[in-house]
Amino acid sequence: MRNSRRSLLAFVWGMVVSVAAASAATPVASDSSVVPLAGAAQQAMLWVVRQGDHRGRPFAIVDKQRAQIHVFEPSGAMVGATPVLIGLTAGDRDAVPNFGNRSVASLAAHERTTPAGRFDSEPGHNDKGEAIVWFDYDAALAIHRLRPAPAHERRPQRMASAEAAERRITYGCVVVPVAFYQDVIAPTLGRRRGVVYVLPEQGSLEAMLRGAEVALSAP
């Protein structure tokens, strides 16, 4: 009887993962320049759904190598994907200490990274009252919409570029197109707590997921 129950559970999980993978291939809202969910991003999504690491919350996967984000419902169904602007400098190190209390002008180029890891997110507002999604509040890092910026930064042009390297310009935040924030981020991560997985580009994805799994199993 016990073996039958285990077989049934294995079958159910297999169906959940299969449905999630199929849903991920056909997002409701996406951008034509986005590479379909594959590789490390797909591996991470399947792991999240299989392990239940998101604990029934919406979640997002930020693929820094491709400079794009994929957003999912708690079921694992993809809501949308889009190119994003990310930190100027490649790297997976922790966020800059005391980042939130430093001026933007004081940050050196090597400090302008989007840290890798698993982050519990929550909707909030910045100091101007704009709706954003915090994924590391202490480091003042958030997912937010594209804002006006100095012309020399060419942020709208960078966002439209097919080259992922061109989309490195921020101080660490993940910046999405205005319409994507309104249509995808706001109805999911913008309404409740969620989880944001920022994939490593130098470190090991397996190590990152193992760390998340240990945290999940802790009492």
mmCIF file of all heavy atoms in Angstrom, residues 56-107:
data_model
loop_
_atom_site.group_PDB
_atom_site.id
_atom_site.type_symbol
_atom_site.label_atom_id
_atom_site.label_comp_id
_atom_site.label_asym_id
_atom_site.label_seq_id
_atom_site.Cartn_x
_atom_site.Cartn_y
_atom_site.Cartn_z
ATOM 1 N N GLY A 56 3.902 28.224 -2.546
ATOM 2 C CA GLY A 56 2.592 28.641 -3.031
ATOM 3 C C GLY A 56 2.491 30.099 -3.412
ATOM 4 O O GLY A 56 1.388 30.638 -3.513
ATOM 5 N N ARG A 57 3.632 30.731 -3.642
ATOM 6 C CA ARG A 57 3.626 32.149 -3.999
ATOM 7 C C ARG A 57 4.037 32.334 -5.462
ATOM 8 O O ARG A 57 4.694 31.468 -6.048
ATOM 9 C CB ARG A 57 4.582 32.928 -3.094
ATOM 10 C CG ARG A 57 4.168 32.979 -1.636
ATOM 11 C CD ARG A 57 5.235 33.625 -0.766
ATOM 12 N NE ARG A 57 6.375 32.740 -0.587
ATOM 13 C CZ ARG A 57 7.465 33.061 0.120
ATOM 14 N NH1 ARG A 57 7.557 34.243 0.678
ATOM 15 N NH2 ARG A 57 8.453 32.203 0.239
ATOM 16 N N PRO A 58 3.695 33.465 -6.069
ATOM 17 C CA PRO A 58 4.214 33.743 -7.414
ATOM 18 C C PRO A 58 5.729 33.905 -7.334
ATOM 19 O O PRO A 58 6.273 34.252 -6.275
ATOM 20 C CB PRO A 58 3.528 35.066 -7.788
ATOM 21 C CG PRO A 58 3.172 35.700 -6.485
ATOM 22 C CD PRO A 58 2.869 34.564 -5.548
ATOM 23 N N PHE A 59 6.403 33.649 -8.445
ATOM 24 C CA PHE A 59 7.864 33.764 -8.421
ATOM 25 C C PHE A 59 8.390 34.233 -9.773
ATOM 26 O O PHE A 59 7.686 34.192 -10.784
ATOM 27 C CB PHE A 59 8.520 32.446 -8.000
ATOM 28 C CG PHE A 59 8.294 31.274 -8.927
ATOM 29 C CD1 PHE A 59 9.254 30.917 -9.874
ATOM 30 C CD2 PHE A 59 7.139 30.505 -8.839
ATOM 31 C CE1 PHE A 59 9.069 29.823 -10.707
ATOM 32 C CE2 PHE A 59 6.944 29.408 -9.668
ATOM 33 C CZ PHE A 59 7.903 29.064 -10.610
ATOM 34 N N ALA A 60 9.622 34.688 -9.747
ATOM 35 C CA ALA A 60 10.272 35.154 -10.967
ATOM 36 C C ALA A 60 11.683 34.609 -11.019
ATOM 37 O O ALA A 60 12.320 34.391 -9.977
ATOM 38 C CB ALA A 60 10.307 36.681 -11.024
ATOM 39 N N ILE A 61 12.156 34.368 -12.229
ATOM 40 C CA ILE A 61 13.536 33.925 -12.447
ATOM 41 C C ILE A 61 14.222 34.968 -13.300
ATOM 42 O O ILE A 61 13.779 35.264 -14.415
ATOM 43 C CB ILE A 61 13.576 32.546 -13.123
ATOM 44 C CG1 ILE A 61 12.978 31.486 -12.185
ATOM 45 C CG2 ILE A 61 15.006 32.180 -13.520
ATOM 46 C CD1 ILE A 61 12.842 30.115 -12.819
ATOM 47 N N VAL A 62 15.292 35.545 -12.777
ATOM 48 C CA VAL A 62 16.086 36.530 -13.508
ATOM 49 C C VAL A 62 17.322 35.826 -14.052
ATOM 50 O O VAL A 62 18.149 35.325 -13.294
ATOM 51 C CB VAL A 62 16.502 37.707 -12.609
ATOM 52 C CG1 VAL A 62 17.369 38.704 -13.391
ATOM 53 C CG2 VAL A 62 15.272 38.397 -12.032
ATOM 54 N N ASP A 63 17.421 35.758 -15.363
ATOM 55 C CA ASP A 63 18.544 35.124 -16.041
ATOM 56 C C ASP A 63 19.517 36.232 -16.427
ATOM 57 O O ASP A 63 19.315 36.927 -17.417
ATOM 58 C CB ASP A 63 18.037 34.382 -17.280
ATOM 59 C CG ASP A 63 19.128 33.573 -17.981
ATOM 60 O OD1 ASP A 63 20.327 33.865 -17.758
ATOM 61 O OD2 ASP A 63 18.784 32.669 -18.759
ATOM 62 N N LYS A 64 20.563 36.402 -15.644
ATOM 63 C CA LYS A 64 21.486 37.514 -15.893
ATOM 64 C C LYS A 64 22.293 37.325 -17.172
ATOM 65 O O LYS A 64 22.642 38.308 -17.832
ATOM 66 C CB LYS A 64 22.431 37.703 -14.698
ATOM 67 C CG LYS A 64 21.729 38.232 -13.467
ATOM 68 C CD LYS A 64 22.735 38.757 -12.439
ATOM 69 C CE LYS A 64 23.536 37.622 -11.805
ATOM 70 N NZ LYS A 64 24.509 38.142 -10.819
ATOM 71 N N GLN A 65 22.599 36.098 -17.520
ATOM 72 C CA GLN A 65 23.385 35.871 -18.737
ATOM 73 C C GLN A 65 22.629 36.329 -19.971
ATOM 74 O O GLN A 65 23.223 36.823 -20.924
ATOM 75 C CB GLN A 65 23.768 34.401 -18.852
ATOM 76 C CG GLN A 65 24.779 33.967 -17.798
ATOM 77 C CD GLN A 65 25.309 32.571 -18.039
ATOM 78 O OE1 GLN A 65 24.812 31.835 -18.896
ATOM 79 N NE2 GLN A 65 26.315 32.182 -17.279
ATOM 80 N N ARG A 66 21.312 36.177 -19.959
ATOM 81 C CA ARG A 66 20.495 36.624 -21.091
ATOM 82 C C ARG A 66 19.827 37.969 -20.822
ATOM 83 O O ARG A 66 19.156 38.504 -21.696
ATOM 84 C CB ARG A 66 19.424 35.569 -21.406
ATOM 85 C CG ARG A 66 19.991 34.255 -21.943
ATOM 86 C CD ARG A 66 18.850 33.364 -22.424
ATOM 87 N NE ARG A 66 19.353 32.187 -23.108
ATOM 88 C CZ ARG A 66 19.395 30.967 -22.585
ATOM 89 N NH1 ARG A 66 18.970 30.779 -21.350
ATOM 90 N NH2 ARG A 66 19.846 29.944 -23.271
ATOM 91 N N ALA A 67 20.007 38.490 -19.605
ATOM 92 C CA ALA A 67 19.403 39.761 -19.203
ATOM 93 C C ALA A 67 17.905 39.760 -19.493
ATOM 94 O O ALA A 67 17.379 40.589 -20.232
ATOM 95 C CB ALA A 67 20.088 40.945 -19.887
ATOM 96 N N GLN A 68 17.210 38.804 -18.878
ATOM 97 C CA GLN A 68 15.769 38.718 -19.043
ATOM 98 C C GLN A 68 15.130 38.131 -17.789
ATOM 99 O O GLN A 68 15.817 37.550 -16.941
ATOM 100 C CB GLN A 68 15.407 37.879 -20.262
ATOM 101 C CG GLN A 68 15.944 36.465 -20.254
ATOM 102 C CD GLN A 68 15.740 35.773 -21.595
ATOM 103 O OE1 GLN A 68 15.718 36.419 -22.639
ATOM 104 N NE2 GLN A 68 15.598 34.473 -21.577
ATOM 105 N N ILE A 69 13.832 38.325 -17.687
ATOM 106 C CA ILE A 69 13.092 37.816 -16.532
ATOM 107 C C ILE A 69 11.904 36.999 -17.013
ATOM 108 O O ILE A 69 11.296 37.320 -18.041
ATOM 109 C CB ILE A 69 12.611 38.988 -15.627
ATOM 110 C CG1 ILE A 69 12.005 38.468 -14.322
ATOM 111 C CG2 ILE A 69 11.603 39.872 -16.365
ATOM 112 C CD1 ILE A 69 11.683 39.575 -13.324
ATOM 113 N N HIS A 70 11.611 35.916 -16.286
ATOM 114 C CA HIS A 70 10.432 35.102 -16.525
ATOM 115 C C HIS A 70 9.611 35.132 -15.243
ATOM 116 O O HIS A 70 10.148 34.916 -14.148
ATOM 117 C CB HIS A 70 10.808 33.659 -16.869
ATOM 118 C CG HIS A 70 11.551 33.521 -18.159
ATOM 119 N ND1 HIS A 70 12.903 33.764 -18.261
ATOM 120 C CD2 HIS A 70 11.131 33.169 -19.398
ATOM 121 C CE1 HIS A 70 13.286 33.564 -19.517
ATOM 122 N NE2 HIS A 70 12.231 33.205 -20.226
ATOM 123 N N VAL A 71 8.315 35.380 -15.360
ATOM 124 C CA VAL A 71 7.436 35.503 -14.197
ATOM 125 C C VAL A 71 6.400 34.387 -14.223
ATOM 126 O O VAL A 71 5.818 34.096 -15.285
ATOM 127 C CB VAL A 71 6.740 36.876 -14.186
ATOM 128 C CG1 VAL A 71 5.854 37.025 -12.954
ATOM 129 C CG2 VAL A 71 7.786 38.002 -14.219
ATOM 130 N N PHE A 72 6.152 33.793 -13.046
ATOM 131 C CA PHE A 72 5.295 32.616 -12.956
ATOM 132 C C PHE A 72 4.209 32.766 -11.893
ATOM 133 O O PHE A 72 4.410 33.392 -10.856
ATOM 134 C CB PHE A 72 6.127 31.370 -12.604
ATOM 135 C CG PHE A 72 7.230 31.077 -13.574
ATOM 136 C CD1 PHE A 72 8.476 31.684 -13.424
ATOM 137 C CD2 PHE A 72 7.036 30.210 -14.635
ATOM 138 C CE1 PHE A 72 9.502 31.421 -14.322
ATOM 139 C CE2 PHE A 72 8.055 29.942 -15.534
ATOM 140 C CZ PHE A 72 9.289 30.556 -15.378
ATOM 141 N N GLU A 73 3.083 32.150 -12.174
ATOM 142 C CA GLU A 73 2.037 31.976 -11.167
ATOM 143 C C GLU A 73 2.507 30.903 -10.174
ATOM 144 O O GLU A 73 3.436 30.143 -10.467
ATOM 145 C CB GLU A 73 0.735 31.523 -11.834
ATOM 146 C CG GLU A 73 0.101 32.562 -12.750
ATOM 147 C CD GLU A 73 -0.586 33.681 -11.989
ATOM 148 O OE1 GLU A 73 -0.521 33.669 -10.733
ATOM 149 O OE2 GLU A 73 -1.177 34.556 -12.634
ATOM 150 N N PRO A 74 1.868 30.807 -9.001
ATOM 151 C CA PRO A 74 2.256 29.777 -8.035
ATOM 152 C C PRO A 74 2.226 28.359 -8.608
ATOM 153 O O PRO A 74 2.984 27.491 -8.177
ATOM 154 C CB PRO A 74 1.219 29.940 -6.920
ATOM 155 C CG PRO A 74 0.845 31.383 -6.986
ATOM 156 C CD PRO A 74 0.845 31.716 -8.447
ATOM 157 N N SER A 75 1.376 28.110 -9.610
ATOM 158 C CA SER A 75 1.276 26.784 -10.217
ATOM 159 C C SER A 75 2.485 26.431 -11.068
ATOM 160 O O SER A 75 2.691 25.273 -11.421
ATOM 161 C CB SER A 75 0.029 26.720 -11.102
ATOM 162 O OG SER A 75 0.153 27.630 -12.195
ATOM 163 N N GLY A 76 3.291 27.421 -11.432
ATOM 164 C CA GLY A 76 4.405 27.205 -12.343
ATOM 165 C C GLY A 76 4.091 27.644 -13.753
ATOM 166 O O GLY A 76 4.958 27.580 -14.634
ATOM 167 N N ALA A 77 2.870 28.094 -14.011
ATOM 168 C CA ALA A 77 2.508 28.595 -15.337
ATOM 169 C C ALA A 77 3.160 29.959 -15.551
ATOM 170 O O ALA A 77 3.061 30.836 -14.693
ATOM 171 C CB ALA A 77 0.994 28.719 -15.476
ATOM 172 N N MET A 78 3.824 30.122 -16.696
ATOM 173 C CA MET A 78 4.479 31.387 -16.960
ATOM 174 C C MET A 78 3.464 32.451 -17.359
ATOM 175 O O MET A 78 2.620 32.235 -18.210
ATOM 176 C CB MET A 78 5.534 31.254 -18.056
ATOM 177 C CG MET A 78 6.411 32.501 -18.171
ATOM 178 S SD MET A 78 7.374 32.594 -19.703
ATOM 179 C CE MET A 78 8.386 31.146 -19.556
ATOM 180 N N VAL A 79 3.582 33.615 -16.736
ATOM 181 C CA VAL A 79 2.718 34.745 -17.049
ATOM 182 C C VAL A 79 3.340 35.593 -18.148
ATOM 183 O O VAL A 79 2.655 36.121 -19.012
ATOM 184 C CB VAL A 79 2.462 35.603 -15.797
ATOM 185 C CG1 VAL A 79 1.481 36.728 -16.118
ATOM 186 C CG2 VAL A 79 1.959 34.754 -14.657
ATOM 187 N N GLY A 80 4.662 35.745 -18.116
ATOM 188 C CA GLY A 80 5.310 36.564 -19.127
ATOM 189 C C GLY A 80 6.811 36.568 -18.978
ATOM 190 O O GLY A 80 7.365 36.117 -17.965
ATOM 191 N N ALA A 81 7.478 37.082 -19.990
ATOM 192 C CA ALA A 81 8.931 37.185 -20.000
ATOM 193 C C ALA A 81 9.327 38.399 -20.820
ATOM 194 O O ALA A 81 8.628 38.769 -21.765
ATOM 195 C CB ALA A 81 9.557 35.914 -20.589
ATOM 196 N N THR A 82 10.442 39.010 -20.466
ATOM 197 C CA THR A 82 10.873 40.207 -21.167
ATOM 198 C C THR A 82 12.358 40.455 -20.940
ATOM 199 O O THR A 82 12.916 40.021 -19.929
ATOM 200 C CB THR A 82 10.078 41.435 -20.683
ATOM 201 O OG1 THR A 82 10.396 42.571 -21.491
ATOM 202 C CG2 THR A 82 10.412 41.783 -19.254
ATOM 203 N N PRO A 83 13.010 41.170 -21.849
ATOM 204 C CA PRO A 83 14.371 41.639 -21.570
ATOM 205 C C PRO A 83 14.342 42.612 -20.392
ATOM 206 O O PRO A 83 13.335 43.309 -20.177
ATOM 207 C CB PRO A 83 14.776 42.356 -22.860
ATOM 208 C CG PRO A 83 13.873 41.817 -23.914
ATOM 209 C CD PRO A 83 12.577 41.528 -23.211
ATOM 210 N N VAL A 84 15.425 42.678 -19.645
ATOM 211 C CA VAL A 84 15.516 43.593 -18.511
ATOM 212 C C VAL A 84 16.860 44.300 -18.528
ATOM 213 O O VAL A 84 17.817 43.843 -19.151
ATOM 214 C CB VAL A 84 15.352 42.854 -17.167
ATOM 215 C CG1 VAL A 84 13.952 42.285 -17.029
ATOM 216 C CG2 VAL A 84 16.405 41.756 -17.005
ATOM 217 N N LEU A 85 16.924 45.403 -17.829
ATOM 218 C CA LEU A 85 18.189 46.055 -17.537
ATOM 219 C C LEU A 85 18.640 45.559 -16.177
ATOM 220 O O LEU A 85 17.839 45.466 -15.243
ATOM 221 C CB LEU A 85 18.026 47.577 -17.507
ATOM 222 C CG LEU A 85 17.502 48.243 -18.776
ATOM 223 C CD1 LEU A 85 17.432 49.761 -18.587
ATOM 224 C CD2 LEU A 85 18.358 47.895 -19.988
ATOM 225 N N ILE A 86 19.928 45.224 -16.067
ATOM 226 C CA ILE A 86 20.476 44.706 -14.811
ATOM 227 C C ILE A 86 21.750 45.467 -14.463
ATOM 228 O O ILE A 86 22.162 46.388 -15.173
ATOM 229 C CB ILE A 86 20.757 43.194 -14.898
ATOM 230 C CG1 ILE A 86 21.727 42.893 -16.060
ATOM 231 C CG2 ILE A 86 19.467 42.410 -15.055
ATOM 232 C CD1 ILE A 86 22.167 41.441 -16.118
ATOM 233 N N GLY A 87 22.400 45.070 -13.383
ATOM 234 C CA GLY A 87 23.594 45.740 -12.909
ATOM 235 C C GLY A 87 24.683 45.864 -13.965
ATOM 236 O O GLY A 87 24.897 44.959 -14.769
ATOM 237 N N LEU A 88 25.375 46.986 -13.933
ATOM 238 C CA LEU A 88 26.406 47.294 -14.922
ATOM 239 C C LEU A 88 27.483 46.222 -15.013
ATOM 240 O O LEU A 88 27.928 45.859 -16.097
ATOM 241 C CB LEU A 88 27.049 48.637 -14.573
ATOM 242 C CG LEU A 88 28.256 49.066 -15.408
ATOM 243 C CD1 LEU A 88 27.839 49.386 -16.835
ATOM 244 C CD2 LEU A 88 28.944 50.274 -14.766
ATOM 245 N N THR A 89 27.889 45.692 -13.857
ATOM 246 C CA THR A 89 29.031 44.781 -13.807
ATOM 247 C C THR A 89 28.588 43.346 -13.530
ATOM 248 O O THR A 89 27.751 43.111 -12.655
ATOM 249 C CB THR A 89 30.025 45.230 -12.716
ATOM 250 O OG1 THR A 89 30.440 46.572 -13.001
ATOM 251 C CG2 THR A 89 31.246 44.324 -12.674
ATOM 252 N N ALA A 90 29.160 42.409 -14.264
ATOM 253 C CA ALA A 90 28.863 40.990 -14.037
ATOM 254 C C ALA A 90 29.417 40.569 -12.682
ATOM 255 O O ALA A 90 30.445 41.069 -12.235
ATOM 256 C CB ALA A 90 29.476 40.143 -15.151
ATOM 257 N N GLY A 91 28.727 39.628 -12.047
ATOM 258 C CA GLY A 91 29.206 39.126 -10.769
ATOM 259 C C GLY A 91 28.065 38.591 -9.943
ATOM 260 O O GLY A 91 26.912 38.967 -10.137
ATOM 261 N N ASP A 92 28.394 37.716 -8.993
ATOM 262 C CA ASP A 92 27.382 37.068 -8.170
ATOM 263 C C ASP A 92 27.554 37.361 -6.686
ATOM 264 O O ASP A 92 26.876 36.768 -5.860
ATOM 265 C CB ASP A 92 27.445 35.545 -8.360
ATOM 266 C CG ASP A 92 27.170 35.126 -9.790
ATOM 267 O OD1 ASP A 92 26.362 35.806 -10.450
ATOM 268 O OD2 ASP A 92 27.773 34.148 -10.252
ATOM 269 N N ARG A 93 28.439 38.271 -6.351
ATOM 270 C CA ARG A 93 28.717 38.527 -4.938
ATOM 271 C C ARG A 93 27.507 39.123 -4.248
ATOM 272 O O ARG A 93 26.557 39.575 -4.885
ATOM 273 C CB ARG A 93 29.907 39.472 -4.800
ATOM 274 C CG ARG A 93 29.644 40.857 -5.350
ATOM 275 C CD ARG A 93 30.825 41.772 -5.068
ATOM 276 N NE ARG A 93 30.603 43.098 -5.615
ATOM 277 C CZ ARG A 93 29.776 43.990 -5.105
ATOM 278 N NH1 ARG A 93 29.069 43.671 -4.045
ATOM 279 N NH2 ARG A 93 29.615 45.184 -5.648
ATOM 280 N N ASP A 94 27.578 39.134 -2.924
ATOM 281 C CA ASP A 94 26.491 39.701 -2.140
ATOM 282 C C ASP A 94 26.337 41.178 -2.444
ATOM 283 O O ASP A 94 27.252 41.831 -2.957
ATOM 284 C CB ASP A 94 26.757 39.513 -0.639
ATOM 285 C CG ASP A 94 26.723 38.051 -0.237
ATOM 286 O OD1 ASP A 94 26.070 37.267 -0.949
ATOM 287 O OD2 ASP A 94 27.353 37.705 0.780
ATOM 288 N N ALA A 95 25.172 41.720 -2.091
ATOM 289 C CA ALA A 95 24.919 43.132 -2.298
ATOM 290 C C ALA A 95 25.936 43.978 -1.534
ATOM 291 O O ALA A 95 26.505 43.551 -0.527
ATOM 292 C CB ALA A 95 23.505 43.481 -1.841
ATOM 293 N N VAL A 96 26.171 45.172 -2.011
ATOM 294 C CA VAL A 96 27.135 46.074 -1.397
ATOM 295 C C VAL A 96 26.685 46.428 0.023
ATOM 296 O O VAL A 96 25.542 46.840 0.226
ATOM 297 C CB VAL A 96 27.263 47.371 -2.225
ATOM 298 C CG1 VAL A 96 28.217 48.357 -1.567
ATOM 299 C CG2 VAL A 96 27.717 47.039 -3.637
ATOM 300 N N PRO A 97 27.563 46.268 1.016
ATOM 301 C CA PRO A 97 27.182 46.616 2.391
ATOM 302 C C PRO A 97 26.745 48.081 2.487
ATOM 303 O O PRO A 97 27.343 48.966 1.890
ATOM 304 C CB PRO A 97 28.485 46.377 3.176
ATOM 305 C CG PRO A 97 29.254 45.390 2.348
ATOM 306 C CD PRO A 97 28.917 45.721 0.925
ATOM 307 N N ASN A 98 25.687 48.311 3.261
ATOM 308 C CA ASN A 98 25.193 49.664 3.494
ATOM 309 C C ASN A 98 24.788 50.380 2.209
ATOM 310 O O ASN A 98 24.780 51.606 2.141
ATOM 311 C CB ASN A 98 26.253 50.497 4.228
ATOM 312 C CG ASN A 98 25.643 51.638 5.023
ATOM 313 O OD1 ASN A 98 24.524 51.519 5.529
ATOM 314 N ND2 ASN A 98 26.356 52.736 5.115
ATOM 315 N N PHE A 99 24.436 49.582 1.187
ATOM 316 C CA PHE A 99 24.085 50.146 -0.113
ATOM 317 C C PHE A 99 22.976 51.192 -0.001
ATOM 318 O O PHE A 99 23.041 52.263 -0.597
ATOM 319 C CB PHE A 99 23.640 49.011 -1.046
ATOM 320 C CG PHE A 99 23.293 49.435 -2.452
ATOM 321 C CD1 PHE A 99 24.201 49.291 -3.486
ATOM 322 C CD2 PHE A 99 22.043 49.970 -2.743
ATOM 323 C CE1 PHE A 99 23.887 49.676 -4.775
ATOM 324 C CE2 PHE A 99 21.712 50.351 -4.032
ATOM 325 C CZ PHE A 99 22.646 50.201 -5.049
ATOM 326 N N GLY A 100 21.967 50.879 0.780
ATOM 327 C CA GLY A 100 20.807 51.758 0.871
ATOM 328 C C GLY A 100 21.104 53.118 1.464
ATOM 329 O O GLY A 100 20.343 54.064 1.268
ATOM 330 N N ASN A 101 22.206 53.248 2.204
ATOM 331 C CA ASN A 101 22.552 54.524 2.833
ATOM 332 C C ASN A 101 23.634 55.286 2.071
ATOM 333 O O ASN A 101 24.102 56.322 2.538
ATOM 334 C CB ASN A 101 23.024 54.291 4.277
ATOM 335 C CG ASN A 101 21.918 53.736 5.153
ATOM 336 O OD1 ASN A 101 20.758 54.125 5.016
ATOM 337 N ND2 ASN A 101 22.260 52.810 6.044
ATOM 338 N N ARG A 102 24.019 54.764 0.914
ATOM 339 C CA ARG A 102 25.054 55.442 0.124
ATOM 340 C C ARG A 102 24.420 56.156 -1.053
ATOM 341 O O ARG A 102 23.369 55.761 -1.557
ATOM 342 C CB ARG A 102 26.089 54.436 -0.375
ATOM 343 C CG ARG A 102 26.918 53.817 0.740
ATOM 344 C CD ARG A 102 27.876 52.781 0.202
ATOM 345 N NE ARG A 102 28.758 53.326 -0.822
ATOM 346 C CZ ARG A 102 29.650 52.603 -1.486
ATOM 347 N NH1 ARG A 102 29.747 51.310 -1.249
ATOM 348 N NH2 ARG A 102 30.419 53.165 -2.395
ATOM 349 N N SER A 103 25.070 57.196 -1.504
ATOM 350 C CA SER A 103 24.577 57.904 -2.684
ATOM 351 C C SER A 103 24.950 57.118 -3.929
ATOM 352 O O SER A 103 25.949 56.376 -3.940
ATOM 353 C CB SER A 103 25.200 59.303 -2.758
ATOM 354 O OG SER A 103 26.591 59.220 -3.015
ATOM 355 N N VAL A 104 24.149 57.265 -4.972
ATOM 356 C CA VAL A 104 24.421 56.579 -6.230
ATOM 357 C C VAL A 104 25.797 56.961 -6.763
ATOM 358 O O VAL A 104 26.544 56.122 -7.274
ATOM 359 C CB VAL A 104 23.323 56.921 -7.260
ATOM 360 C CG1 VAL A 104 23.733 56.462 -8.654
ATOM 361 C CG2 VAL A 104 22.007 56.273 -6.862
ATOM 362 N N ALA A 105 26.153 58.236 -6.617
ATOM 363 C CA ALA A 105 27.427 58.719 -7.147
ATOM 364 C C ALA A 105 28.633 58.069 -6.464
ATOM 365 O O ALA A 105 29.731 58.026 -7.033
ATOM 366 C CB ALA A 105 27.500 60.237 -7.002
ATOM 367 N N SER A 106 28.425 57.543 -5.250
ATOM 368 C CA SER A 106 29.552 56.955 -4.517
ATOM 369 C C SER A 106 29.861 55.526 -4.931
ATOM 370 O O SER A 106 30.878 54.965 -4.516
ATOM 371 C CB SER A 106 29.260 56.987 -3.012
ATOM 372 O OG SER A 106 28.282 56.003 -2.666
ATOM 373 N N LEU A 107 29.001 54.917 -5.747
ATOM 374 C CA LEU A 107 29.195 53.510 -6.123
ATOM 375 C C LEU A 107 30.179 53.394 -7.276
ATOM 376 O O LEU A 107 30.019 54.015 -8.325
ATOM 377 C CB LEU A 107 27.858 52.879 -6.519
ATOM 378 C CG LEU A 107 26.796 52.797 -5.422
ATOM 379 C CD1 LEU A 107 25.507 52.233 -5.989
ATOM 380 C CD2 LEU A 107 27.286 51.939 -4.271
#
